[in-house]
Amino acid sequence: MPRPPRGFRSLLGERKWARLLEQGVDRVHGPGVPLLRQGDPGTTVLAVVSGRVKVFGTERNGGRALLALRGAGDLLGEIAARSASPRTATVETIDRCTVRMLSADRFKTFLREHDGEAALTDYSIAKLSQTVPYQVELVHFSPERKIARLLLEVVALADEASPDPERVPFSQQEVADSLGMARSTVAHYVRHLKACGALRAGPRLSVANPDHLRAIAGL
């Protein structure tokens, strides 16, 4: 069953979203590929057609703080492109992704010609309100609740192109890094989530009972 449009696509509307994609060039990337790098000049904008990505900031000590997850319908790099400023975060693919790449100038022209400024303003405000590291956003939650929320968000961003939408394409180490936890802590709670039926048994992370996982996440 097709999932409803989300992100900038939902704010812009289907007709204008299709026109936006026409302005770009197709790029297909496998998992674990950097699409944008923190500090690079903002010369391009990416429109996500399918797949999921993670947005993270690099800290002074070399660590990486997960800021957000994005999926089909989202834009990447639009803030830096509009202001001609360096990128404030790195974006990396989670699974196989298709994006349309537009130059900053073409993106700005599209906004002017298709009355897209208001939709972009609303979208940018919503995104900025989310760019708080997961470790900070979820600081008052128990480790199990933090893990459950992250897994649910990853699964929610799966689209029709995903061959297994209930699978979470993260290793336990990636979950630990995303949440600022020790891997042993994640492994402990993953075992519990599998034992209670929220996750499927087996080596991979896969949601078996979304309602049960939502209850554990407090949603």
Side-chain angles (χ1 to χ4, degrees):
M1 179 178 179
R3 300 198 175 189
R6 54 170 305 283
F8 187 60
R9 177 179 177 177
S10 66
L11 294 170
L12 192 63
E14 290 300 289
R15 182 179 61 82
K16 290 183 180 180
W17 175 255
R19 295 297 300 274
L20 174 65
L21 297 184
E22 290 173 0
Q23 311 304 308
V25 178
D26 250 350
R27 293 286 185 269
V28 180
H29 303 276
V33 176
L35 301 181
L36 305 173
R37 295 183 186 273
Q38 185 173 329
D40 283 356
T43 56
T44 57
V45 177
L46 304 180
V48 184
V49 179
S50 67
R52 293 166 286 188
V53 303
K54 53 187 174 183
V55 183
F56 57 86
T58 302
E59 301 171 332
R60 292 183 179 179
N61 63 4
R64 306 201 309 182
L66 180 66
L67 302 176
L69 302 172
R70 306 291 181 210
D74 277 315
L75 294 179
L76 305 171
E78 76 286 353
I79 296 176
R82 293 190 76 198
S83 59
S85 58
R87 303 199 187 281
T88 58
T90 294
V91 179
E92 185 177 285
T93 59
I94 293 174
D95 44 20
R96 181 179 174 85
C97 288
T98 300
V99 299
R100 290 290 176 92
M101 184 176 69
L102 295 77
S103 69
D105 288 341
R106 181 161 289 201
F107 180 64
K108 293 173 187 176
T109 299
F110 171 84
L111 293 177
R112 287 196 304 270
E113 293 180 349
H114 296 86
D115 298 320
E117 293 286 353
L120 183 64
T121 297
D122 290 344
Y123 179 66
S124 298
I125 291 172
K127 284 181 73 172
L128 287 171
S129 69
Q130 298 169 3
T131 51
V132 177
Y134 271 60
Q135 297 96 310
V136 175
E137 182 181 358
L138 305 179
V139 67
H140 299 297
F141 295 153
S142 69
E144 187 172 50
R145 180 167 289 189
K146 293 177 183 180
I147 293 167
R149 288 194 174 215
L150 177 61
L151 301 184
L152 283 169
E153 185 169 355
V154 175
V155 167
L157 286 174
D159 54 48
E160 300 89 75
S162 174
D164 186 359
E166 301 305 322
R167 179 175 174 257
V168 180
F170 280 12
S171 67
Q172 291 188 26
Q173 186 62 60
E174 287 174 313
V175 173
D177 292 342
S178 298
L179 297 173
M181 294 180 185
R183 187 189 179 282
S184 58
T185 301
V186 172
H188 169 77
Y189 286 104
V190 165
R191 283 195 296 271
H192 177 260
L193 291 171
K194 289 180 178 180
C196 72
L199 298 181
R200 288 192 176 90
R204 294 182 173 183
L205 295 176
S206 185
V207 177
N209 189 326
D211 290 337
H212 189 19
L213 193 59
R214 276 192 287 270
I216 293 170
L219 298 174

